[in-house]
Amino acid sequence: MADEPSADPRVDSLTSRSSTVSFEIPPSPQPNHGRAIDLTASGNASQTSSVPDEQSQSSVPGPSSTVPQRSGIRTYAGRSRSFLVELPTDGNPDSGVGADDLGLEIRESYQDLRIRWGVDNAEDDPRFALSARSSPEPESGRKGKGKARDRPKVALPSNMMNDLKSITELRSKGEIRRFIDEVGYLFEGMERTAGVRVRRGSALELVTKFCDTDFARRARATDFRSRAWDALRAAGAGDGDKVLDAILVLFAALVVQLSHDVTELTRKADFVPVLWDILVSLSGSDSLELVGIDVDDGELKKAGIGKAEKLTLIALRSVVVNKSGLVSDQEGPSLRRLLSHTLASLPPSVHQNSHLTALHQTLIVGLSSLHPRLSGYASGLSLLPDVPDLTRSPGIPQFDHIADCLELFDSFLLGRWANDEEQSLLYHDVINGVGQDDLAERLATLCAVCNIILRHGDYQGHIPIANRCLESALRVLINLSHENPIWCQLLLYQELTIPIISSLIANFLHRANDTAEETGERDAQAFDRLCLALGLLTNLVQVDKNSQDLCRETKLDPSCPAHRQCAYVCKCPNAVSVLECLVSVYESHLQLEDDDPGTHIVRGHLAVLFGLLMRGSSANQDIILDTLPGAGLKGLVRHAKEFVELYSEFMARIARGDRHDAGDAEGEQVETDVRTHVRDSATQDVAQDIIKFLESLMNTLA
């Protein structure tokens, strides 16, 4: 070998190669003293031979042979990068890269290293397997641009490397590894050693990326959701930090929205309890809601939101509105809404009875804004503000949040929550109606507000959510008042209860006369409301005799448009008693086709309800019998018997487990829900007693 290696023409011919390959000339003339490359994930410096300045200038620059020591500065190539793997040392005879006869050490590019070491092929963490692998030996028998010769494959221990079966699997595993590389630096930024601003920024970037559909798809293929939750909790989310708590809420909402299975998170001991704890903390102020309305910095400071927190929360709100797809700006994004929707979307069995306190508290707070809106509507103000002002004014009812809370409450009342702990005092108070005057009043007010929205032409955009809130409220009230004298008394004490229930029943009569306009889904919703209203009224009449007098004394116009003068009690000139309204609905269903099962159910239920209203009240008997059409009592007995037969057949089918389609799991769930939710008092025993009463009354009058 010549004394001046740089003068060798073979060196000059090699310097034109790719910039990703560099050459270093060892100080020793022996070609067997090549140095090994040491690239470690921990950032230890590699040992390579030095190159004189005049020789290095003739070489094509390549990547540095040393990995810098890790410092407190965050860099893109952090310790989480999968290609920073530990390679064999000089003690391994197969270590190092090949050197040709010139004694040149060829350093490979990252792409070549990934291919040679099988980073993209690894099923598990590649750093686990690379320590047992060896590098290909250099080829010493060829000159110049020599090609690597074939060498036998190194035998690997069992389960260390799985052979890929297709190019699809190759691409999938490579994509997963690259995805982990992309998010690794975000997890590093949320470590406790980082500053609070760095943690907040990393957390915000993480949820921003998670809003991307492609990112979320790749996240589902890994344990990203579980790792992200742990990283957020380690950063301080859920411990009282306004910004990090808000980011944690958005992350949980995104996981529930984008994932069909959240078992990996619900199994974590802190997942559900932390969400409930945050919901309790929002009873005072909602940071995401405050930065979206006209609140000055002084009010924000009182809520614990400084200037730095405000800027980050505004950026987070922009992510929620523009990227998450969870809620729009017109709908008024808030942490309460995101949390309640997340909790309502989880399986009911993950909730504990101890969470009832948080649910009860947030439901009372959510309903508190309805009474001022209803009283203002009765005095001449608008029931709801215009859409531009909907998100800029405080005290606006959040119907989505209320609906989610009611669905959670309903699942609790049906016994679907976990029951593995001692029941609290609040549990017994809610079930028995002790000290629940506020809840009864606010639920009745909710029904009144929703009824106005459904019947008023100025709130078309709010009809879907109003119908959802109304149905959920009726279900909750049916469950609470079922054979419960205290709850029935609480509801009958409310001025709005009987007028609203009778209005919902009579409103179906108004829709039934306009079938050309009201078809499809809206007809089905109206039928559901009718059945729920009949069930609630049946509960009240069966338990409390005062309801008989209230139904006779309360006046109502079936076609009342729910104007502001009728906000509490109908004052239309054509108003008649509730008993006469019920008879009108019964008569309208006599004119419908008999092949509709819904017709039989409504007629039969009304027949049983008439029996309950007449039993023990001669005044009610006179009104109902005078207004009954056609066959009168004889028709009531026939329809009540039809109802009993339908009810018995339905319950027998449920008891046998019969299904319309045995393979339809969704249909099975629907029937289970019907069996559980239909808890009105028109059971078979009650109906049989009413049939006997009607027959005896018919014989007496004959």
Side-chain angles (χ1 to χ4, degrees), residues 70 102 111 116 128 133 182 233 237 294 307 339 450 508 517 527 530 540 564 595 604 695-696:
R70 175 170 174 77
L102 294 175
Q111 181 179 358
R116 181 161 62 86
F128 175 75
R133 306 183 64 173
E182 291 175 9
R233 292 285 290 126
D294 297 329
K307 293 183 178 180
L339 262 178
C450 293
F508 184 82
E517 237 179 78
F527 179 77
L530 172 64
L540 299 176
R564 59 184 75 257
D595 57 351
E695 290 176 340
S696 64

Side-chain angles (χ1 to χ4, degrees), residues 198-479:
V198 175
R199 282 181 276 143
R200 290 172 177 173
S202 299
L204 179 61
E205 185 175 357
L206 184 142
V207 294
T208 304
K209 285 180 174 290
F210 198 48
C211 292
D212 181 67
T213 304
D214 182 65
F215 185 92
R217 176 188 60 81
R218 291 185 292 167
R220 286 196 297 268
T222 65
D223 61 343
F224 169 80
R225 294 171 298 180
S226 179
R227 291 181 59 192
W229 174 267
D230 293 338
L232 288 169
R233 292 285 290 126
D239 296 335
D241 187 284
K242 295 289 185 180
V243 176
L244 291 175
D245 287 359
I247 293 174
L248 187 71
V249 170
L250 175 58
F251 173 76
L254 289 171
V255 169
V256 172
Q257 179 200 36
L258 300 174
S259 305
H260 298 290
D261 184 13
V262 292
T263 307
E264 62 176 327
L265 288 180
T266 56
R267 288 178 178 175
K268 291 182 175 293
D270 63 339
F271 182 72
V272 176
V274 165
L275 296 182
W276 280 110
D277 291 342
I278 297 177
L279 186 60
V280 172
S281 67
L282 297 176
S283 299
S285 62
D286 190 314
S287 57
L288 196 63
E289 183 181 21
L290 288 176
V291 297
I293 60 178
D294 297 329
V295 177
D296 56 24
D297 292 342
E299 293 295 329
L300 292 177
K301 190 173 182 180
K302 292 180 181 178
I305 302 174
K307 293 183 178 180
E309 289 81 5
K310 178 182 178 181
L311 294 176
T312 308
L313 288 172
I314 291 175
L316 179 65
R317 189 180 187 277
S318 177
V319 173
V320 174
V321 171
N322 300 321
K323 296 183 178 181
S324 69
L326 295 170
V327 60
S328 65
D329 188 40
Q330 291 75 18
E331 294 171 322
S334 66
L335 295 180
R336 292 192 194 94
R337 178 174 179 176
L338 295 178
L339 262 178
S340 59
H341 179 70
T342 300
L343 292 170
S345 301
L346 296 175
S349 58
V350 304
H351 305 299
Q352 304 286 338
N353 287 333
S354 57
H355 301 149
L356 177 62
T357 303
L359 176 60
H360 186 269
Q361 181 178 349
T362 190
L363 180 59
I364 292 293
V365 173
L367 294 171
S368 62
S369 61
L370 294 172
H371 185 269
R373 307 302 307 188
L374 183 61
S375 60
Y377 176 74
S379 62
L381 301 177
S382 176
L383 181 64
L384 296 175
D386 296 332
V387 174
D389 300 330
L390 193 60
T391 60
R392 297 297 176 184
S393 302
I396 302 301
Q398 296 185 348
F399 291 104
D400 292 274
H401 169 63
I402 293 173
D404 290 326
C405 290
L406 288 174
E407 291 177 1
L408 284 167
F409 198 21
D410 187 41
S411 65
F412 161 75
L413 294 173
L414 294 173
R416 295 179 177 177
W417 287 18
N419 193 19
D420 54 355
E421 57 185 19
E422 186 177 354
Q423 297 167 347
S424 62
L425 178 61
L426 179 62
Y427 172 88
H428 297 285
D429 290 344
V430 170
I431 297 300
N432 298 323
V434 178
Q436 302 303 312
D437 303 72
D438 289 344
L439 182 59
E441 178 187 1
R442 296 180 185 188
L443 287 176
T445 304
L446 172 65
C447 294
V449 171
C450 293
N451 184 50
I452 294 174
I453 294 175
L454 292 174
R455 307 190 70 171
H456 206 285
D458 295 340
Y459 308 109
Q460 293 293 327
H462 295 84
I463 287 180
I465 185 58
N467 183 76
R468 180 186 169 201
C469 286
L470 182 57
E471 290 187 3
S472 299
L474 291 174
R475 288 191 177 96
V476 168
L477 292 176
I478 287 175
N479 288 321

Side-chain angles (χ1 to χ4, degrees), residues 152-171:
K153 295 183 178 180
V154 179
L156 297 174
S158 176
N159 297 327
M160 179 167 288
M161 184 72 71
N162 295 329
D163 294 335
L164 296 174
K165 300 178 181 179
S166 65
I167 188 63
T168 303
E169 188 177 356
L170 173 64
R171 291 171 178 169

Side-chain angles (χ1 to χ4, degrees), residues 387-665:
V387 174
D389 300 330
L390 193 60
T391 60
R392 297 297 176 184
S393 302
I396 302 301
Q398 296 185 348
F399 291 104
D400 292 274
H401 169 63
I402 293 173
D404 290 326
C405 290
L406 288 174
E407 291 177 1
L408 284 167
F409 198 21
D410 187 41
S411 65
F412 161 75
L413 294 173
L414 294 173
R416 295 179 177 177
W417 287 18
N419 193 19
D420 54 355
E421 57 185 19
E422 186 177 354
Q423 297 167 347
S424 62
L425 178 61
L426 179 62
Y427 172 88
H428 297 285
D429 290 344
V430 170
I431 297 300
N432 298 323
V434 178
Q436 302 303 312
D437 303 72
D438 289 344
L439 182 59
E441 178 187 1
R442 296 180 185 188
L443 287 176
T445 304
L446 172 65
C447 294
V449 171
C450 293
N451 184 50
I452 294 174
I453 294 175
L454 292 174
R455 307 190 70 171
H456 206 285
D458 295 340
Y459 308 109
Q460 293 293 327
H462 295 84
I463 287 180
I465 185 58
N467 183 76
R468 180 186 169 201
C469 286
L470 182 57
E471 290 187 3
S472 299
L474 291 174
R475 288 191 177 96
V476 168
L477 292 176
I478 287 175
N479 288 321
L480 289 173
S481 62
H482 180 70
E483 298 182 351
N484 193 321
I486 298 179
W487 263 106
C488 290
Q489 184 178 0
L490 285 175
L491 294 175
L492 291 174
Y493 181 76
Q494 306 301 322
E495 179 186 8
L496 292 167
T497 301
I498 294 299
I500 293 305
I501 296 175
S502 56
S503 176
L504 292 173
I505 298 173
N507 188 33
F508 184 82
L509 171 64
H510 183 63
R511 291 178 178 273
N513 293 333
D514 195 12
T515 55
E517 237 179 78
E518 303 297 332
T519 56
E521 182 178 357
R522 296 190 65 177
D523 273 343
Q525 292 175 350
F527 179 77
D528 291 342
R529 292 196 300 270
L530 172 64
C531 292
L532 291 170
L534 285 173
L536 180 57
L537 184 57
T538 305
N539 280 357
L540 299 176
V541 174
Q542 181 186 358
V543 174
D544 197 315
K545 298 301 181 182
N546 293 327
S547 58
Q548 295 177 331
D549 299 333
L550 289 173
C551 289
R552 183 179 65 255
E553 297 168 358
T554 304
K555 304 296 183 179
L556 175 69
D557 184 354
S559 59
C560 177
H563 290 160
R564 59 184 75 257
Q565 66 269 16
C566 302
Y568 290 93
V569 179
C570 179
K571 298 180 181 180
C572 296
N574 298 326
V576 295
S577 68
V578 171
L579 297 177
E580 295 175 88
C581 288
L582 295 176
V583 174
S584 300
V585 176
Y586 175 75
E587 182 180 4
S588 68
H589 281 79
L590 292 178
Q591 302 171 2
L592 299 178
E593 298 178 0
D594 289 341
D595 57 351
D596 183 9
T599 302
H600 293 278
I601 292 175
V602 174
R603 287 190 311 207
H605 201 151
L606 283 170
V608 174
L609 181 58
F610 287 145
L612 290 171
L613 288 168
M614 290 189 295
R615 187 170 58 179
S617 176
S618 58
N620 288 354
Q621 287 183 21
D622 295 338
I623 296 176
I624 293 175
L625 293 178
D626 289 343
T627 54
L628 272 179
L633 276 175
K634 186 176 181 180
L636 288 183
V637 173
R638 184 176 72 253
H639 295 146
K641 290 181 177 180
E642 290 177 357
F643 177 78
V644 172
E645 293 175 359
L646 288 174
Y647 187 85
S648 300
E649 181 181 354
F650 175 76
M651 294 307 297
R653 188 184 67 190
I654 293 297
R656 294 193 305 267
D658 294 345
R659 300 288 184 266
H660 296 293
D661 185 357
D664 189 356

